Amino acid sequence: MTQSVQTWNKGRSDNYGDPSKPNYRPEWWRQCVLHWDDALAWTGNLRDLDFKDCYLTIVPGELREERKARLQATSPEPFFKDAVKDHTSIFAQFELADDAPVSLEENKDNVDLEGADLWQWIQSPLKSFFRDGGVVLGCDINRTVEPGQRRPRLLSIPLRDVYWVEYRDFDGVSVWSRVAIRRSINILDSNGQLQLRDQYWSYELDEVQRCFLTVWTQDEHGKLIEGEAVPFVGSDGETLSRLPFSDKLTVMGSLKLDVDALIMSPFDDVLSLNIEHYNARSEFDAVKRKTALPTPVRY
C-alpha cells in the first residue's frame, strides 16, 4: 500500500536508517506504519474520490473514462469504520472504581484542562486503540505554574505520531526509556507565509533514570534543530524517574517490537476484507453496466 502512504501522509518524513534523529523508527516498524495509514484512511471520508482511487486496483488496459466511472459508482462499505466506532462506544461506558485515585475523582469533569470530562475524553484513545491496535496515554504538566499547584492534564498520542522508541535495563528490569512525540505547529516564514512544521518532543531517561525533555524543531529546509534538554518535573517539583507516558494500551502490551511482533488493529481482518470487497464489488458493478448495454445486431 505504498500509494496510500504517499496519498494520506504528504509531508511526513519516514526515517528508518538514522537512529540519531528523533523521527527514527526501526525497519521492523514499517509494516505497522503502513497498517496505521490504511486504518486511518478507512475511518475517514469513504466517499472521497482520492481515497477511493488510492485503494481501487488498476485493471490492465482499463480506459481512463471507465476507471472514472468505477470511482464514481462504487463506494466502500464502512465495516471497519463501524467496528471501530461501535466498540469505542461500548468500552466508553464505565464507572470509576471505589479505589480510583483521589486526584482523578476530583478532576473527572475536566481531565484535559479543556473542559472535557473523563467519558468524553476517553473516546479518542479508545478509537485509536481499536483503529490502530494501540495508543500511548500520558500526562503533561504546565511548567509555568508554581510547584505544588501544578495539575497534570491527560493526553493520548496515536501511534502514527510515536517515534524513537527505546527500552533499557535498569537493575535487570526492562524500562521504557525514550520516545519522541511528533507535533505539528504553524509558523511564519521569512516571507510572512504560514507554514506547517514538525516538532519532535523527545523524552529520555538518563543513566540514573531521570527524565529529560528535548524539543527538536524542523527549520525551513526540513532539517531538525535540537533544543536544550531540560528536566521533566512532576507536580511536586521533582524530576520524574519514568517517562510521563504508558505503553500498556496496545494489543502487544508494549511498544517493544521486533521482527516477529507487529501492532495492528484487532479488526485488521475486517479492514483487509473491506479493501477486497470494495474492489470485487467495483468490478462486478462494472460488468453489470457493460452487459446491460444494448447489443447492436449486424447483418
Side-chain angles (χ1 to χ4, degrees), residues 217-244:
T217 304
Q218 189 180 47
D219 66 10
E220 59 184 2
H221 304 294
K223 183 179 179 180
L224 291 171
I225 307 300
E226 183 178 4
E228 179 184 359
V230 296
F232 193 86
V233 297
S235 58
D236 57 0
E238 298 294 328
T239 303
L240 292 184
S241 60
R242 59 182 298 273
L243 301 185

Side-chain angles (χ1 to χ4, degrees), residues 4-132:
S4 66
V5 176
Q6 295 172 346
T7 302
W8 300 103
N9 289 284
K10 294 178 179 178
R12 188 188 74 192
S13 67
D14 290 320
N15 168 21
Y16 296 101
D18 188 354
S20 67
K21 298 292 172 52
N23 61 346
Y24 170 72
R25 281 168 168 157
E27 177 60 35
W28 50 81
W29 277 56
R30 189 185 294 268
Q31 289 299 319
C32 296
V33 174
L34 293 175
H35 167 77
W36 301 334
D37 291 337
D38 287 339
L40 178 64
W42 280 81
T43 53
N45 181 8
L46 302 185
R47 293 177 295 177
D48 182 82
L49 288 179
D50 289 336
F51 159 75
K52 294 200 290 182
D53 185 39
C54 179
Y55 289 93
L56 188 64
T57 302
I58 297 176
V59 177
E62 184 178 38
L63 299 176
R64 181 179 301 177
E65 291 302 317
E66 291 179 342
R67 182 172 181 82
K68 183 178 179 181
R70 286 208 297 145
L71 288 173
Q72 294 175 337
T74 309
S75 292
E77 293 85 355
F79 300 139
F80 177 74
K81 186 175 184 178
D82 285 350
V84 170
K85 181 179 65 177
D86 292 345
H87 279 72
T88 296
S89 299
I90 293 172
F91 280 79
Q93 300 175 24
F94 64 91
E95 295 181 358
L96 290 178
D98 294 335
D99 59 349
V102 175
S103 59
L104 181 59
E105 181 70 37
E106 292 177 345
N107 300 297
K108 63 183 179 181
D109 293 329
N110 186 15
V111 295
D112 60 355
L113 300 183
E114 296 178 0
D117 64 33
L118 181 59
W119 291 265
Q120 291 174 310
W121 177 84
I122 201 66
Q123 297 279 339
S124 178
L126 282 176
K127 180 179 179 180
S128 295
F129 172 77
F130 290 115
R131 182 192 64 208
D132 306 331

Side-chain angles (χ1 to χ4, degrees), residues 169-221:
D169 284 341
F170 288 97
D171 297 326
V173 178
S174 179
V175 178
W176 190 16
S177 303
R178 182 168 68 181
V179 67
I181 306 300
R182 183 174 69 101
R183 299 179 178 179
S184 296
I185 59 172
N186 287 309
I187 66 169
L188 292 176
D189 61 15
S190 56
N191 298 321
Q193 301 295 319
L194 199 63
Q195 287 192 349
L196 191 66
R197 302 275 177 83
D198 282 338
Q199 280 187 334
Y200 293 87
W201 291 51
S202 171
Y203 301 81
E204 184 175 4
L205 300 182
D206 66 6
E207 64 278 2
V208 294
Q209 209 168 335
R210 295 177 303 178
C211 183
F212 284 81
L213 168 64
T214 306
V215 178
W216 297 63
T217 304
Q218 189 180 47
D219 66 10
E220 59 184 2
H221 304 294

Side-chain angles (χ1 to χ4, degrees), residues 3 11 47 54 62 70 88 134 145 148 208 222 256 259 264-265 297:
Q3 185 181 10
R47 293 177 295 177
C54 179
E62 184 178 38
R70 286 208 297 145
T88 296
V145 180
V208 294
K256 195 173 184 180
V259 291
M264 294 188 176
S265 169
V297 179

